[in-house]
Amino acid sequence: MSVEKSKPVPRPGILDIAAYVPGKEHAPGVARVYKLSSNETPLGASQKAVEAFKNAAGNLERYPDGQAHELREAIAAVHGLNPANIMCGNGSDELLGLLCHVYLGAGDEAIITEHGFLVYKIQIMGAGATPVTVKEKDHAVDVDAILAAVTPKTKMVFIANPGNPTGTYVPVSEIRRLQAGLPKDAVLVLDAAYAEYVRRNDYESGIEIVSSNANVVMTRTFSKVYGLAALRVGWMYAPAEIIDALNRIRGPFNMNAPAISAGAAAVRDQAHVQEAVSFNLMWIEKLKGALETIGLTVTPSVTNFILIHFPDADGKRAADADEFLTSRGYVLRAVKGYGFPNSLRMSVGPEEANRGVIESLGEFMGRKA
Ligand SMILES: Cc1ncc(COP(=O)(O)O)c(C=O)c1O
């Protein structure tokens, strides 16, 4: 006889999940605050996207296009893809969740890496499966460690390429070696949220690998270089069978109309993307050089953020620096939850913020930049 419970009880494992904590945005008592904690672009969105967003306000009584045709076609045209292989999501976060709910269940394992993006673990556990965490090497994904962790239960592997919060990347040859070593029924998820920023000859976002394999998907976002984080726009390029399976459980109107219109206008404005990428490249180099001059260590980054490591000395640790910077209005990201207890992640911000952080950290370290 089943015993009636006194209240609703979540499925086993749900209450073991640590909810995602977004980057902080406040600096109490400071007039001018620079949020450098969520890898948003300092250039903002394309004016064309802003116009499209405003125009969408005239039709708010109507349901959006449930297939997001305009956006999928615009993405397909810019990247040379078939729109049938593109699915859009309410941020790439939604797509990561849908993948887990379609391909994972109790008894399955999904491999993530030591410093991987925290949403993977949340979604794996949300689907009732078991996350298996493998070590990284020199703050970068280690393909051998992943392959060594594969078991008959492995049904998914998540890689952020480039990685967050490390900013490092895995060359395409290594991604191919990984795919070749995985079971054919395990999905390899290549999360390329920062792909637009990468300027390396041996990097590929994943388009080629998805095109030639049945078990690889690539996710992308409009929250970073496109400056549309507020609208929640992500997309996935995937084999037709995977798109078909996810379409069966996705919300019928998961993309809102302003997001569809603004996203399409944003992706068509590649000149704006180039401007953002050039600004970023200049500052990534300047920041790294300046912070190293004042005695800090910075992991080499191909993205729009840097991981700064602090001395293990009283008053000079990451938590002390975080407090010092916040008191001056510079809000960086603490990354203890990512396995870096003595580091901070800094997004490239507007010029005055970048200069301000360099100057403040120089003062903090007692050395001139
Ligand atoms: C590696 C990685 N993947 C995915 C996302 C989520 O992107 P979205 O805003 O499209 O949900 C982020 C955002 O921080 C990220 O860093």
Side-chain angles (χ1 to χ4, degrees), residues 7 55 103 126-127 129-130 164 172 207 229 264 278-279 293 320 351 359:
K7 57 183 180 185
N55 290 339
Y103 289 100
T130 306
N164 170 19
V172 63
I207 287 177
S278 303
F279 178 86
T293 304
D320 305 310
E351 177 166 349
E359 198 184 306

Side-chain angles (χ1 to χ4, degrees), residues 44-320:
S46 150
Q47 276 315 303
K48 293 175 181 156
V50 174
E51 275 307 305
F53 174 80
K54 286 183 182 161
N55 290 339
N59 295 306
L60 295 185
E61 74 286 2
R62 295 184 58 185
Y63 276 95
D65 169 11
Q67 306 294 324
H69 283 100
E70 186 194 358
L71 178 55
R72 285 171 45 234
E73 281 160 20
I75 293 168
V78 167
H79 291 276
L81 306 174
N82 180 350
N85 292 101
I86 294 173
M87 175 182 273
C88 294
N90 189 40
S92 52
D93 281 347
E94 183 191 21
L95 300 166
L96 299 171
L98 287 172
L99 284 163
C100 290
H101 286 276
V102 167
Y103 289 100
L104 298 177
D108 293 333
E109 293 176 355
I111 299 176
I112 53 179
T113 65
E114 192 181 2
H115 306 299
F117 185 46
L118 290 175
V119 167
Y120 310 149
K121 187 173 182 182
I122 291 172
Q123 294 297 346
I124 293 164
M125 291 174 75
T130 306
V132 174
T133 307
V134 305
K135 285 271 179 213
E136 296 197 4
K137 207 160 123 187
D138 302 328
H139 301 171
V141 167
D142 178 0
V143 165
D144 289 316
I146 295 176
L147 291 175
V150 171
T151 74
K153 293 180 180 170
T154 306
K155 291 291 175 290
M156 198 168 278
V157 174
F158 283 98
I159 294 188
N161 195 27
N164 170 19
T166 56
T168 59
Y169 76 105
V170 183
V172 63
S173 55
E174 282 293 277
I175 299 287
R176 285 189 201 286
R177 191 163 73 82
L178 172 61
Q179 192 281 329
L182 291 180
K184 296 272 175 282
D185 66 339
V187 181
L188 173 59
V189 182
L190 301 174
D191 175 351
Y194 301 93
E196 292 84 359
Y197 288 110
V198 187
R199 289 292 174 269
R200 292 288 186 279
N201 290 335
D202 57 352
Y203 174 81
E204 269 180 29
S205 60
I207 287 177
E208 291 300 321
I209 300 172
V210 172
S211 300
S212 49
N213 292 285
N215 67 333
V216 187
V217 307
M218 173 191 71
T219 57
R220 300 281 283 261
T221 183
F222 279 59
S223 303
K224 310 300 173 185
V225 81
Y226 286 106
L228 293 181
L231 287 184
R232 314 303 300 123
V233 183
W235 61 282
M236 176 179 71
Y237 178 55
E241 288 82 359
I242 294 182
I243 298 275
D244 173 61
L246 265 65
N247 261 330
R248 291 166 194 261
I249 65 159
R250 118 178 126 73
F253 304 104
N254 64 330
M255 300 296 297
N256 68 73
I260 294 172
S261 303
V267 75
R268 289 188 202 110
D269 189 357
Q270 286 297 311
H272 184 72
V273 173
Q274 285 318 313
E275 203 185 322
V277 170
S278 303
F279 178 86
N280 184 68
L281 277 176
M282 177 184 75
W283 273 106
I284 279 284
E285 289 310 314
K286 278 193 186 179
L287 281 163
K288 185 170 186 294
L291 296 182
E292 284 174 347
T293 304
I294 57 178
L296 294 164
T297 312
V298 177
T299 302
S301 169
V302 295
T303 62
N304 66 332
F305 56 86
I306 50 171
L307 188 59
I308 311 167
H309 308 282
F310 289 83
D312 187 15
D314 278 351
K316 294 276 177 271
R317 295 195 176 87
D320 305 310

